[in-house]
Amino acid sequence: MNRYRRRTLALELAMIAGALFVAFPVYVLVNLAVRSTSDTSSPISPTTSPTLDNFTQAWQQGGLGGALANSLLVTVCSVAIVLAVSSLAAYPLARVTSHWSRGTYLLVLLGLALPFQLASLPLYQTMRDLGLLGTPWALILFYSGLQVPFTVFLYVGFLRALPRDFEDAALIDGCTPLQGFRYVVLPMLKPVTATALVLNAVAIWNDFFTPLLYLSGSTQQTVPVAIAGFVGQYVTDWNLIFAALVISILPVLLVYFLLQRSIINGFAGGLKG
C-alpha cells in the first residue's frame, strides 16, 4: 500500500497553486464582465449584484454578431482546408522512406522556422492583385498555407507511431493507396485530427494582426479586431470589453470541451512519433 508522504503533499499543493494561478485571470475576467459600470470596487472583490447588460451592450455596440460570423467562416473553411491538405501530404511523407520524402518533409518543416511576418508585404501585394483585400477569402487563403507545416508535423508524428498491418492488408485485398488511406488510415487519425482542429482553430480565431491588415478599411471584421475597437471608443468602460472577451472565448471553449479526450490522445500520440 502506498503511503501518503510529504512529497505527495508537496505535489498536491503545487498543483493547487498552479490551478489557482491559471484560474485567477479567468475569475477577474468573468467577475468584471458581469459587474455594473457603477460598481467601482476592486476587481478582485466578488460582484454582489451581477448583471448581463454588459453582454447585450457589447453585442450591439461592437457589432459582434457580424464579427462572429466572419470569424466562424474564416476558421471553419481554413481548418477544413488545412486538415485535408495536411493529412494527405503527411501520409506519403510518413510511409515513404526515400531521400526525396525526407527532404520534402524537412522543407515543409522549414515553414515552422520562418516567421510569416517576413512575407507580409509580398503577400499583401498578392492579395491586392487578386482583388481579395477586404474579404474573408484573403484570410482563408492565408491561413490555409500558414498552418500546413505545423499540421503536417503533427500528422507525420502520429502516423509513424501507427502500425502498417491494416494498410498492408487493405492493399493486398485490392485497395489503391488512396483508398487505403481513406477507409483504413483516416479513421485511425481521429485523435490527432481533433488535436490539429482545436490548435489551428484557436490560432486562427485569436489572430489579430492578419485580419487587421487584410480587412482594414472594410466593414467586415473578425472578433479580435472588433473587440479592439472598444479600446478607443470605450476606453474607460472595461466591463464591456471583458464581456466581449467572454463572448469571443465561448465558441472555442465549447469545441475544446467536446473534443478534450481526443485532443489529449492525439497530442500524446504525436509526441511519441
Side-chain angles (χ1 to χ4, degrees):
M1 180 181 296
N2 295 328
R3 295 182 177 179
Y4 190 83
R5 301 179 179 179
R6 292 182 178 178
R7 182 180 179 182
T8 306
L9 176 61
L11 290 175
E12 290 182 351
L13 293 176
M15 288 187 291
I16 293 174
L20 293 176
F21 180 78
V22 173
F24 179 73
V26 179
Y27 161 74
V28 174
L29 173 66
V30 177
N31 188 44
L32 293 180
V34 298
R35 176 176 294 183
S36 173
T37 55
S38 60
D39 190 347
T40 58
S41 59
S42 172
I44 302 177
S45 61
T47 301
T48 56
S49 301
T51 178
L52 298 179
D53 292 341
N54 294 329
F55 296 94
T56 303
Q57 295 182 35
W59 183 273
Q60 296 175 350
Q61 298 179 15
L64 293 184
L68 283 171
N70 289 330
S71 291
L72 187 62
L73 173 65
V74 171
T75 303
V76 171
C77 294
S78 301
V79 170
I81 295 173
V82 168
L83 294 181
V85 172
S86 300
S87 59
L88 287 171
Y91 182 56
L93 293 177
R95 290 297 188 241
V96 179
T97 58
S98 60
H99 292 292
W100 72 264
S101 177
R102 296 176 182 175
T104 304
Y105 181 56
L106 293 177
L107 184 62
V108 171
L109 292 185
L110 186 62
L112 295 175
L114 297 177
F116 75 91
Q117 289 85 354
L118 293 176
S120 295
L121 181 58
L123 283 175
Y124 183 87
Q125 293 174 341
T126 301
M127 297 297 179
R128 180 195 59 192
D129 296 337
L130 293 175
L132 297 178
L133 288 181
T135 66
W137 303 110
L139 299 179
I140 293 173
L141 183 61
F142 175 83
Y143 292 129
S144 298
L146 179 67
Q147 300 299 120
V148 165
F150 173 70
T151 311
V152 168
F153 171 74
L154 290 179
Y155 272 115
V156 169
F158 193 86
L159 281 166
R160 286 176 176 174
L162 289 178
R164 304 186 59 169
D165 300 341
F166 297 104
E167 302 167 53
D168 294 338
L171 295 176
I172 293 174
D173 289 340
C175 287
T176 63
L178 184 59
Q179 290 174 333
F181 172 78
R182 178 182 177 183
Y183 296 108
V184 178
V185 178
L186 191 58
M188 294 189 293
L189 295 180
K190 181 181 177 180
V192 69
T193 299
T195 303
L197 186 153
V198 172
L199 293 179
N200 283 300
V202 170
I204 295 172
W205 186 274
N206 292 332
D207 186 25
F208 173 77
F209 174 76
T210 308
L212 180 65
L213 179 65
Y214 290 157
L215 300 181
S216 178
S218 69
T219 57
Q220 303 188 55
Q221 300 293 343
T222 58
V223 173
V225 179
I227 295 176
F230 281 98
V231 177
Q233 189 173 1
Y234 307 100
V235 64
T236 58
D237 202 346
W238 290 100
N239 302 82
L240 293 185
I241 298 176
F242 290 135
L245 287 174
V246 171
I247 294 174
S248 68
I249 291 171
L250 290 179
V252 176
L253 199 61
L254 177 62
V255 173
Y256 175 80
F257 282 130
L258 291 176
L259 302 176
Q260 184 177 9
R261 180 174 298 179
S262 298
I263 294 168
I264 297 173
N265 293 337
F267 195 66
L271 289 177
K272 291 180 182 178

